[in-house]
Amino acid sequence: MHRQGPLDSIGSILSGIAHRFGLEAKMLECRLRRQWPEIVGAQIAAHTRPDQIRFKKLYLSVHNSVWLQQLTFLKPQLLQKVNEVAGQPVVTEIVMRIGEFVNEVQAGELPSASAESHPQPTAQAILEAKAHAHAVQDPELRARLTTVMAAALDQMAPGQRLARLDP
């Protein structure tokens, strides 16, 4: 791991751990699933889904044989885009298979069942979570951490809540 100063960033620590345990391909899989529409475009993403990476091969589920045939011609471009996301040549081949799948999340939208199963946290939980997350300097990370902590605080019994930190 590369030290940037007295404290390492969470990202550099996680990257070091992923490298040490050989989890880079799994992390790339997650990133591909999450960012697939941005990587390949909405049209291709609507008919494909990245499944897994094994032995430097990306296995891609394709909606039907017509799309499989069309994407055969686009393999070099897809391979280049995937490796650009990885930052290094992690994938050397793309294997396409016809498979049925449901496009769970379309361009950042949350499925309606997810919104129903996770109600919005209370204002008190949000305020408490903000107080705990105030030291995080990255605004996006701080916002996500606040959301997760607020949801967790709402699920806790009042006696289990964390002691409030003074900013």
Side-chain angles (χ1 to χ4, degrees):
M1 282 185 285
H2 177 265
R3 293 193 67 97
Q4 297 175 348
L7 297 175
D8 286 340
S9 71
I10 291 174
S12 67
I13 292 170
L14 291 177
S15 293
I17 291 171
H19 179 72
R20 193 173 316 137
F21 291 105
L23 298 173
E24 290 144 327
K26 289 292 180 193
M27 290 179 63
L28 178 59
E29 281 178 26
C30 291
R31 192 176 317 137
L32 289 176
R33 286 185 190 118
R34 192 176 61 244
Q35 299 174 343
W36 194 241
E38 293 88 26
I39 295 168
V40 298
Q43 186 74 15
I44 293 174
H47 299 281
T48 61
R49 184 188 76 212
D51 278 337
Q52 63 181 328
I53 298 173
R54 279 192 329 196
F55 305 112
K56 297 192 173 211
K57 293 180 183 178
L58 170 62
Y59 289 85
L60 197 62
S61 289
V62 181
H63 182 69
N64 58 33
S65 60
V66 175
W67 274 97
L68 189 136
Q69 179 65 29
Q70 180 66 27
L71 291 173
T72 302
F73 300 111
L74 297 175
K75 269 188 182 183
Q77 291 91 340
L78 292 174
L79 190 60
Q80 179 183 0
K81 288 180 179 187
V82 167
N83 284 324
E84 283 175 6
V85 169
Q88 57 184 336
V90 175
V91 176
T92 58
E93 187 178 341
I94 297 178
V95 178
M96 291 185 254
R97 300 182 274 196
I98 297 173
E100 299 221 5
F101 60 91
V102 177
N103 221 352
E104 296 97 10
V105 179
Q106 293 281 345
E109 298 174 1
L110 291 175
S112 59
S114 174
E116 293 170 9
S117 63
H118 299 291
Q120 289 287 8
T122 62
Q124 179 185 1
I126 293 172
L127 287 174
E128 189 171 345
K130 281 184 180 180
H132 289 293
H134 80 279
V136 177
Q137 296 197 3
D138 183 296
E140 183 179 339
L141 179 59
R142 184 176 49 244
R144 288 182 182 209
L145 183 60
T146 300
T147 303
V148 169
M149 286 194 308
L153 287 169
D154 265 350
Q155 293 177 356
M156 291 178 145
Q160 294 178 316
R161 298 218 55 174
L162 302 170
R164 185 169 181 89
L165 299 174
D166 292 322

